[in-house]
Structures are given as structure tokens and as C-alpha cells.
């Protein structure tokens, strides 16, 4: 039972899934061209990173698709940085949403920060993205959504420690950075128009 629950926390709520949900949520709520914005941003910020991680795993350049060994992450971060920069530029050209634009800017900054941190310390992307998405999705729809987002975040960080993919310190560091990034986004872009 615990193994299955940990798998759900780690796989079902993986960073690409949560990034896609976060970007789609913001686009739907704040952008009249939400479909185009969603396709471009999700492709650059979720599909490409996941595809790179899987390709690296299949070619033996990474231990698994989550690239647990931080020394194997350098090529991954270089490719993801290129994808996020191009994706942010393309998204900025099509979106009418200040929120989506700010999210792209913060995403580029987070990739740079995590790549730099990774040189000396392994930080949990699962912790970072689950914390960030919990706050951002709630701010897009309703703060009541935190009643789901915070338990999902807790499940994700527990699963990473339970599966021995990260230490408690690594998921804590990722979570702190994710919540801080959400705070920066709220301060920079304000709170988006909510459906409720």
C-alpha cells in the first residue's frame, strides 16, 4: 500500500504533470488565447524536459527519468534552459496574460537557480514544483483549492523521501524555493482573475 501511494505521489504528480496543470490553469483563467498559450508553454516547459529526461535514460546518460544522480543533470539543465528560454519568448509573443508571462520569466529563473544549486547540493524538483503549483493553481481558481494542493504537495515530498530519491533536507529546500517563487509571482503579477 505504501509503495503504491509513493508511486502515485512521485509519478502521477511528477513535475511535468504539475507544470502542465499550472500553465494550463493560468492560461484558461487569464488569457483569451488560452489554447495557443497552453500548447506552446506546456510543450516548452513540460513536454520537452520530460522527453529529454526519458531520452537520457534510454541512452544510458541518466539513472532514471528523474535523474536522481545530480552529476548526470548538467546536460539535462542545459537543454531545458534552451527550451525554457525559447518557450518563454514564444509564449510572450502569443499570450495576452501578464500572469503567464511572469510565470515564464520565473520558470527561466528557477531553471538557472536549480542548475546552479545542483553544482553543490541536490535539490528536489518534485518539492519545488509541487509547492509552486499548489499556490499558483489555488490563486488562479480559488484559495479553497489549497485544500487539495497542500495535501498533494505533502504526498509528493513524502513519496520522494520514502522512495529514497531525496533526503528530507533536499525536499525541504525544493519546497522552500517553490513557495518563495510562488510568493514572487504573486507579488509581481498580482492575483489573477478567478472563476469562483
Amino acid at each position: 500500500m505504501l509503495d503504491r501511494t509513493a508511486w502515485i505521489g512521485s509519478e502521477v504528480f511528477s513535475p511535468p504533470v504539475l507544470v502542465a496543470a499550472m500553465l494550463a490553469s493560468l492560461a484558461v483563467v487569464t488569457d483569451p488565447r488560452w489554447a495557443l498559450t497552453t500548447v506552446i508553454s506546456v510543450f516548452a516547459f513540460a513536454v520537452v524536459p520530460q522527453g529529454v529526461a526519458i531520452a537520457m535514460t534510454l541512452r544510458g546518460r541518466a539513472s532514471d527519468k528523474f535523474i536522481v544522480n545530480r552529476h548526470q543533470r548538467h546536460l539535462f539543465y542545459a537543454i531545458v534552459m534552451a527550451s525554457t528560454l525559447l518557450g518563454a519568448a514564444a509564449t510572450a509573443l502569443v499570450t495576452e496574460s501578464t500572469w503567464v508571462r511572469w510565470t515564464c520569466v520565473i520558470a527561466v529563473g528557477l531553471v538557472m537557480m536549480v542548475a546552479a544549486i545542483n553544482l553543490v547540493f541536490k535539490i528536489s524538483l518534485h518539492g519545488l514544483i509541487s509547492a509552486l503549483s499548489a499556490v499558483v493553481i489555488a490563486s488562479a481558481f480559488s484559495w479553497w483549492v489549497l485544500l487539495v494542493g497542500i495535501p498533494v504537495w505533502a504526498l509528493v515530498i513524502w513519496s520522494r523521501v520514502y522512495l529514497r530519491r531525496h533526503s528530507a533536507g533536499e525536499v525541504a529546500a525544493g519546497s522552500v524555493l517553490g513557495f518563495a517563487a510562488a510568493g514572487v509571482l504573486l507579488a509581481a503579477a498580482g492575483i489573477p482573475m478567478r472563476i469562483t
Side-chain angles (χ1 to χ4, degrees):
M1 176 75 171
L2 286 178
D3 289 347
R4 182 69 173 166
T5 304
W7 180 87
I8 290 169
S10 195
E11 295 283 341
V12 174
F13 299 110
S14 67
V17 171
L18 293 177
V19 165
M22 180 175 56
L23 290 167
S25 296
L26 287 174
V28 166
V29 172
T30 66
D31 192 346
R33 295 194 227 176
W34 64 269
L36 183 58
T37 298
T38 298
V39 168
I40 292 170
S41 62
V42 167
F43 180 77
F45 292 96
V47 175
V48 170
Q50 182 71 0
V52 169
I54 290 170
M56 286 178 66
T57 303
L58 291 174
R59 293 183 180 181
R61 306 237 12 211
S63 55
D64 64 3
K65 70 179 179 180
F66 297 123
I67 314 176
V68 176
N69 183 338
R70 73 180 174 91
H71 300 292
Q72 297 173 341
R73 292 181 175 184
H74 305 304
L75 175 62
F76 173 77
Y77 286 132
I79 296 169
V80 169
M81 177 53 65
S83 177
T84 57
L85 286 169
L86 290 172
T91 301
L93 292 173
V94 300
T95 189
E96 295 180 22
S97 170
T98 301
W99 253 85
V100 172
R101 285 189 186 113
W102 271 107
T103 302
C104 290
V105 167
I106 288 171
V108 169
L110 283 172
V111 171
M112 289 190 293
M113 287 178 65
V114 169
I117 291 168
N118 189 66
L119 295 173
V120 294
F121 180 77
K122 184 178 162 191
I123 192 168
S124 171
L125 288 175
H126 277 76
L128 190 160
I129 299 301
S130 61
L132 175 65
S133 64
V135 175
V136 172
I137 292 171
S139 70
F141 290 105
S142 168
W143 288 106
W144 288 104
V145 175
L146 280 175
L147 294 176
V148 174
I150 294 300
V152 166
W153 162 75
L155 172 64
V156 168
I157 63 171
W158 167 81
S159 73
R160 300 309 285 165
V161 174
Y162 177 82
L163 294 170
R164 294 186 178 101
R165 303 297 191 191
H166 284 289
S167 67
E170 291 164 353
V171 296
S175 297
V176 167
L177 186 54
F179 285 124
V184 169
L185 183 57
L186 288 170
I191 298 175
M193 169 184 60
R194 288 180 291 280
I195 292 173
T196 60

